mmCIF file with all atom_site columns, all heavy atoms in Angstrom:
data_model
loop_
_atom_site.group_PDB
_atom_site.id
_atom_site.type_symbol
_atom_site.label_atom_id
_atom_site.label_alt_id
_atom_site.label_comp_id
_atom_site.label_asym_id
_atom_site.label_entity_id
_atom_site.label_seq_id
_atom_site.pdbx_PDB_ins_code
_atom_site.Cartn_x
_atom_site.Cartn_y
_atom_site.Cartn_z
_atom_site.occupancy
_atom_site.B_iso_or_equiv
_atom_site.pdbx_formal_charge
_atom_site.auth_seq_id
_atom_site.auth_comp_id
_atom_site.auth_asym_id
_atom_site.auth_atom_id
_atom_site.pdbx_PDB_model_num
ATOM 1  N N   . LYS I 1 42 ? 67.678 10.649 41.683 1.00 72.00 ? 42 LYS I N   1
ATOM 2  C CA  . LYS I 1 42 ? 66.633 11.467 41.178 1.00 72.00 ? 42 LYS I CA  1
ATOM 3  C C   . LYS I 1 42 ? 67.128 12.843 40.702 1.00 72.00 ? 42 LYS I C   1
ATOM 4  O O   . LYS I 1 42 ? 66.771 13.349 39.624 1.00 72.00 ? 42 LYS I O   1
ATOM 5  C CB  . LYS I 1 42 ? 65.475 11.709 42.234 1.00 72.00 ? 42 LYS I CB  1
ATOM 6  C CG  . LYS I 1 42 ? 64.323 10.661 42.083 1.00 72.00 ? 42 LYS I CG  1
ATOM 7  C CD  . LYS I 1 42 ? 63.309 10.953 43.194 1.00 72.00 ? 42 LYS I CD  1
ATOM 8  C CE  . LYS I 1 42 ? 62.766 9.618  43.756 1.00 72.00 ? 42 LYS I CE  1
ATOM 9  N NZ  . LYS I 1 42 ? 62.200 9.757  45.028 1.00 72.00 ? 42 LYS I NZ  1
ATOM 10 N N   . ASP I 1 43 ? 67.852 13.444 41.674 1.00 74.00 ? 43 ASP I N   1
ATOM 11 C CA  . ASP I 1 43 ? 68.548 14.771 41.356 1.00 74.00 ? 43 ASP I CA  1
ATOM 12 C C   . ASP I 1 43 ? 69.263 14.660 40.080 1.00 74.00 ? 43 ASP I C   1
ATOM 13 O O   . ASP I 1 43 ? 69.253 15.562 39.212 1.00 74.00 ? 43 ASP I O   1
ATOM 14 C CB  . ASP I 1 43 ? 69.432 15.192 42.482 1.00 74.00 ? 43 ASP I CB  1
ATOM 15 C CG  . ASP I 1 43 ? 68.626 15.602 43.681 1.00 74.00 ? 43 ASP I CG  1
ATOM 16 O OD1 . ASP I 1 43 ? 67.342 15.704 43.597 1.00 74.00 ? 43 ASP I OD1 1
ATOM 17 O OD2 . ASP I 1 43 ? 69.211 15.808 44.739 1.00 74.00 ? 43 ASP I OD2 1
ATOM 18 N N   . PHE I 1 44 ? 70.072 13.573 39.931 1.00 69.00 ? 44 PHE I N   1
ATOM 19 C CA  . PHE I 1 44 ? 71.034 13.498 38.807 1.00 69.00 ? 44 PHE I CA  1
ATOM 20 C C   . PHE I 1 44 ? 70.142 13.372 37.539 1.00 69.00 ? 44 PHE I C   1
ATOM 21 O O   . PHE I 1 44 ? 70.446 14.021 36.468 1.00 69.00 ? 44 PHE I O   1
ATOM 22 C CB  . PHE I 1 44 ? 71.857 12.210 39.034 1.00 69.00 ? 44 PHE I CB  1
ATOM 23 C CG  . PHE I 1 44 ? 72.847 12.003 37.875 1.00 69.00 ? 44 PHE I CG  1
ATOM 24 C CD1 . PHE I 1 44 ? 73.892 12.928 37.709 1.00 69.00 ? 44 PHE I CD1 1
ATOM 25 C CD2 . PHE I 1 44 ? 72.635 10.984 36.927 1.00 69.00 ? 44 PHE I CD2 1
ATOM 26 C CE1 . PHE I 1 44 ? 74.763 12.756 36.636 1.00 69.00 ? 44 PHE I CE1 1
ATOM 27 C CE2 . PHE I 1 44 ? 73.557 10.845 35.965 1.00 69.00 ? 44 PHE I CE2 1
ATOM 28 C CZ  . PHE I 1 44 ? 74.601 11.663 35.732 1.00 69.00 ? 44 PHE I CZ  1
ATOM 29 N N   . ASP I 1 45 ? 69.079 12.578 37.591 1.00 73.00 ? 45 ASP I N   1
ATOM 30 C CA  . ASP I 1 45 ? 68.191 12.370 36.381 1.00 73.00 ? 45 ASP I CA  1
ATOM 31 C C   . ASP I 1 45 ? 67.614 13.682 35.955 1.00 73.00 ? 45 ASP I C   1
ATOM 32 O O   . ASP I 1 45 ? 67.597 14.056 34.781 1.00 73.00 ? 45 ASP I O   1
ATOM 33 C CB  . ASP I 1 45 ? 67.098 11.322 36.625 1.00 73.00 ? 45 ASP I CB  1
ATOM 34 C CG  . ASP I 1 45 ? 67.725 9.876  36.663 1.00 73.00 ? 45 ASP I CG  1
ATOM 35 O OD1 . ASP I 1 45 ? 68.920 9.750  36.066 1.00 73.00 ? 45 ASP I OD1 1
ATOM 36 O OD2 . ASP I 1 45 ? 67.102 8.988  37.118 1.00 73.00 ? 45 ASP I OD2 1
ATOM 37 N N   . ALA I 1 46 ? 67.190 14.412 36.982 1.00 70.00 ? 46 ALA I N   1
ATOM 38 C CA  . ALA I 1 46 ? 66.543 15.689 36.658 1.00 70.00 ? 46 ALA I CA  1
ATOM 39 C C   . ALA I 1 46 ? 67.575 16.656 36.020 1.00 70.00 ? 46 ALA I C   1
ATOM 40 O O   . ALA I 1 46 ? 67.250 17.275 34.936 1.00 70.00 ? 46 ALA I O   1
ATOM 41 C CB  . ALA I 1 46 ? 65.986 16.371 37.967 1.00 70.00 ? 46 ALA I CB  1
ATOM 42 N N   . LEU I 1 47 ? 68.690 16.635 36.525 1.00 70.00 ? 47 LEU I N   1
ATOM 43 C CA  . LEU I 1 47 ? 69.815 17.437 36.018 1.00 70.00 ? 47 LEU I CA  1
ATOM 44 C C   . LEU I 1 47 ? 70.128 17.113 34.604 1.00 70.00 ? 47 LEU I C   1
ATOM 45 O O   . LEU I 1 47 ? 70.308 17.861 33.659 1.00 70.00 ? 47 LEU I O   1
ATOM 46 C CB  . LEU I 1 47 ? 71.067 17.222 36.891 1.00 70.00 ? 47 LEU I CB  1
ATOM 47 C CG  . LEU I 1 47 ? 71.969 18.456 36.988 1.00 70.00 ? 47 LEU I CG  1
ATOM 48 C CD1 . LEU I 1 47 ? 71.359 19.584 37.765 1.00 70.00 ? 47 LEU I CD1 1
ATOM 49 C CD2 . LEU I 1 47 ? 73.209 18.013 37.682 1.00 70.00 ? 47 LEU I CD2 1
ATOM 50 N N   . LYS I 1 48 ? 70.163 15.673 34.358 1.00 70.00 ? 48 LYS I N   1
ATOM 51 C CA  . LYS I 1 48 ? 70.534 15.190 33.029 1.00 70.00 ? 48 LYS I CA  1
ATOM 52 C C   . LYS I 1 48 ? 69.461 15.730 32.047 1.00 70.00 ? 48 LYS I C   1
ATOM 53 O O   . LYS I 1 48 ? 69.826 16.233 30.947 1.00 70.00 ? 48 LYS I O   1
ATOM 54 C CB  . LYS I 1 48 ? 70.496 13.718 33.088 1.00 70.00 ? 48 LYS I CB  1
ATOM 55 C CG  . LYS I 1 48 ? 71.545 13.075 32.127 1.00 70.00 ? 48 LYS I CG  1
ATOM 56 C CD  . LYS I 1 48 ? 71.867 11.664 32.514 1.00 70.00 ? 48 LYS I CD  1
ATOM 57 C CE  . LYS I 1 48 ? 70.805 10.700 31.833 1.00 70.00 ? 48 LYS I CE  1
ATOM 58 N NZ  . LYS I 1 48 ? 71.115 9.262  32.215 1.00 70.00 ? 48 LYS I NZ  1
ATOM 59 N N   . GLN I 1 49 ? 68.132 15.575 32.452 1.00 71.00 ? 49 GLN I N   1
ATOM 60 C CA  . GLN I 1 49 ? 67.095 15.945 31.541 1.00 71.00 ? 49 GLN I CA  1
ATOM 61 C C   . GLN I 1 49 ? 67.251 17.447 31.250 1.00 71.00 ? 49 GLN I C   1
ATOM 62 O O   . GLN I 1 49 ? 67.219 17.948 30.108 1.00 71.00 ? 49 GLN I O   1
ATOM 63 C CB  . GLN I 1 49 ? 65.824 15.794 32.380 1.00 71.00 ? 49 GLN I CB  1
ATOM 64 C CG  . GLN I 1 49 ? 64.524 16.202 31.592 1.00 71.00 ? 49 GLN I CG  1
ATOM 65 C CD  . GLN I 1 49 ? 64.306 15.293 30.348 1.00 71.00 ? 49 GLN I CD  1
ATOM 66 O OE1 . GLN I 1 49 ? 64.771 14.086 30.423 1.00 71.00 ? 49 GLN I OE1 1
ATOM 67 N NE2 . GLN I 1 49 ? 63.741 15.849 29.324 1.00 71.00 ? 49 GLN I NE2 1
#
Side-chain angles (χ1 to χ4, degrees):
Chain I
K42 265 182 221 154
D43 287 354
F44 180 70
D45 284 344
L47 210 65
K48 214 164 80 180
Q49 180 68 30

